[in-house]
Amino acid sequence: MNYRAMGAPFLCLLAFAKMTTLSISTATGFVGGSIFPMIFAGTCLGMASVDLNPTGPAADSWASIFFCGWPAALAVPCMAAGLPCAFSPAIIGMVVIVLLMMKLQAMAVSHVFVASAVSFTAVCGLGLSQSLVLGRSAVVRHAPAEAGKSRR
């Protein structure tokens, strides 16, 4: 079936339904992985973003501001690797899986790697804020000890 015949709203609904069924099955004790359902949802979202570009059928929509005509050969792998990387720290593994699944050229691998790294960093952070909150930072650990020495 042609993905353009489905349309962007249906593809977004399909990705949302896949993520909903994944969360329900995980919560009820399903013994499966979450990587490949997330790759499927990312692929659906990537194809939907291609359908929403300014040269496509939705040229007058709000989405034309965000999706500036990027090709499907770049949008789909970036979204397919970026969505699972938002929830797991397997950036290089996801890039390799998407590289092998979609037979990417060498130039596209860098875009997929950057999309995966940005996705993971945007959701999980670099660890700096967590270490400051939990008191594991070297700055937080040594500051009270030095303050105690100056009072004596």
Side-chain angles (χ1 to χ4, degrees):
M1 180 176 207
N2 189 1
Y3 74 92
R4 294 234 186 239
M6 289 188 259
F10 180 73
L11 289 170
C12 290
L13 180 67
L14 191 62
F16 179 74
K18 185 59 140 175
M19 295 302 288
T20 303
T21 56
L22 174 66
S23 65
I24 291 170
S25 64
T26 303
T28 57
F30 177 68
V31 186
S34 61
I35 297 296
F36 286 107
M38 283 194 229
I39 289 175
F40 175 77
T43 303
C44 288
L45 292 174
M47 293 308 283
S49 69
V50 169
D51 195 35
L52 291 174
N53 70 25
T55 58
D60 297 331
S61 71
W62 60 270
S64 64
I65 298 170
F66 300 109
F67 304 110
C68 299
W70 59 336
L74 187 62
V76 173
C78 287
M79 291 292 283
L83 186 65
C85 282
F87 300 102
S88 66
I91 297 171
I92 295 174
M94 288 310 306
V95 170
V96 169
I97 288 172
V98 170
L99 168 73
L100 295 175
M101 280 177 40
M102 298 187 182
K103 298 180 184 174
L104 295 178
Q105 295 178 354
M107 294 301 290
V109 174
S110 62
H111 298 301
V112 175
F113 179 78
V114 168
S116 301
V118 167
S119 174
F120 176 73
T121 306
V123 174
C124 298
L126 294 174
L128 180 63
S129 60
Q130 292 92 348
S131 65
L132 287 175
V133 168
L134 297 175
R136 295 182 187 153
S137 173
V139 175
V140 175
R141 276 185 291 195
H142 297 299
E146 291 175 5
K149 290 180 184 176
S150 64
R151 287 186 218 163
R152 292 181 189 174

